[in-house]
Amino acid sequence: MKRLLMLSLGGTITMVPSAGGGIAPKLGAAELVASVPELADVAQIEAESAARLPSPSLTPGILVDVAQRIEAAFAAGIDGAVVIQGTDTIEESAFILDALVGGDRPVVITGAMRGADAPGADGPANLLAAARVAVCDAARGLGALAVLNYDIHAARFVQKTHTTLPSAFASPLVGPIGAVAEGRPRIHARVGRLPVLRAQDGAPAPIALVTWAMGDDGRVLAALPGLGYAGAVIAGMGAGHVPSDAADAVGALAARMPVVLASRSAAGPVFTSTYGYAGGEIDLMGRGLVSAGMLTALKARLLLGLALRGGGGRDAAVRAFAPYA
């Protein structure tokens, strides 16, 4: 049988009622595996509990450590990895693992929308589906994947789109790349691997994320360099726009630190050559902003932080984002 690492970080899938009211993380990886007997037919499983945290408390540094642990497991002969965590930050965690774990062996991230004691808890089904994908030969070479509600999503596209439904995850730009049906993973489309960064270089540099709203004049931008940020991501309106009277403030920030231009929209690329007014994407890139390409602002923030480790500047950002243009 193939060997599979199951690494739990906590999240709703591990939560049961707490003495203080509500549910809280309690179950570990071994308990999760024991609750799904069918896993014994899928792989020889090594279960580890790296943390027992709600997903809002996870940090990029924790996921960098997870990436290093997975690389070590692969070097020791493990055939695939499943990372278990809360759903609030799955899209970010999956992207970090996609950006840092090289090679062809599958890395799958999963969780649950319902607590372990809830009627119709989705955790066991998600865990079993994720394990089946992680040992599937067809999943090799696809980078990190998110598997929930039987859908298989590529890490660079997946987003959480609902607060409560088991079908909360979608890939608005392209759709799921596969599904688990009749207990068998079926890959419908393949995505090519993009350049992988070194997990050994540590946690991402701190990056500010500013989402633009109607009427915002950008006054907060001047404070960012003094707050210790190494760079910033602007989640602009539409295809990457800010109000005309804020363009100077954005340009002034780009003169002081690397600034990436993303969109606050759910899907679609940042434009580069259509809108020529002040605050449009042509103007902003002329002021030094770097396009996030197809990445959402959340994922652009992580990639910029990884690119700027070690004190890299705008050129490092340009190199990191070029494959996503």
Side-chain angles (χ1 to χ4, degrees), residues 53-204:
L53 295 171
S55 56
S57 295
L58 294 176
T59 66
I62 291 174
L63 270 299
V64 171
D65 291 342
V66 169
Q68 294 177 359
R69 174 67 188 94
I70 291 172
E71 286 190 326
F74 286 169
I78 289 289
D79 296 295
V82 173
V83 177
I84 304 159
Q85 70 157 76
T87 59
D88 287 357
T89 55
I90 273 183
E91 61 192 274
E92 291 158 282
S93 296
F95 183 76
I96 292 175
L97 296 178
D98 191 57
L100 295 181
V101 181
D104 290 337
R105 302 183 199 195
V107 177
V108 178
I109 191 163
T110 194
M113 294 297 295
R114 297 169 176 158
D117 71 321
D122 52 328
N126 286 344
L127 197 59
L128 182 58
R132 286 171 168 161
V133 173
V135 298
C136 174
D137 289 339
R140 292 177 62 88
L142 296 177
L145 303 169
V147 175
L148 300 105
N149 204 41
Y150 299 113
D151 287 323
I152 303 170
H153 298 273
R156 74 189 69 154
F157 302 124
V158 69
Q159 298 178 44
K160 187 173 182 178
T161 61
H162 201 280
T163 61
T164 187
L165 295 179
S167 57
F169 285 84
S171 293
L173 190 63
V174 299
I177 64 169
V180 179
E182 297 184 307
R184 180 167 65 88
R186 303 163 191 254
I187 304 299
H188 306 314
R190 300 192 69 83
V191 294
R193 289 303 310 266
L194 295 180
V196 174
L197 305 175
R198 282 171 44 88
Q200 291 75 15
D201 289 343

Side-chain angles (χ1 to χ4, degrees), residues 175-305:
I177 64 169
V180 179
E182 297 184 307
R184 180 167 65 88
R186 303 163 191 254
I187 304 299
H188 306 314
R190 300 192 69 83
V191 294
R193 289 303 310 266
L194 295 180
V196 174
L197 305 175
R198 282 171 44 88
Q200 291 75 15
D201 289 343
I207 304 297
L209 173 57
V210 179
T211 300
W212 223 275
M214 180 186 286
D216 190 351
D217 61 7
R219 70 185 69 182
V220 71
L221 300 184
L224 298 183
L227 296 175
Y229 290 109
V233 171
I234 303 294
M237 300 170 174
H241 310 137
V242 302
S244 297
D245 60 3
D248 286 344
V250 175
L253 181 65
R256 301 179 66 186
M257 62 168 54
V259 180
V260 169
L261 179 62
S263 173
R264 69 180 193 178
S265 302
V270 171
F271 282 10
T272 59
S273 58
T274 298
Y275 292 98
Y277 57 82
E281 79 280 352
I282 295 175
D283 173 54
L284 295 178
M285 291 180 189
R287 296 174 188 264
L289 274 71
V290 177
S291 171
M294 64 182 174
L295 289 180
T296 64
L298 288 177
K299 294 174 183 178
R301 172 180 168 269
L302 295 169
L303 182 60
L304 182 59

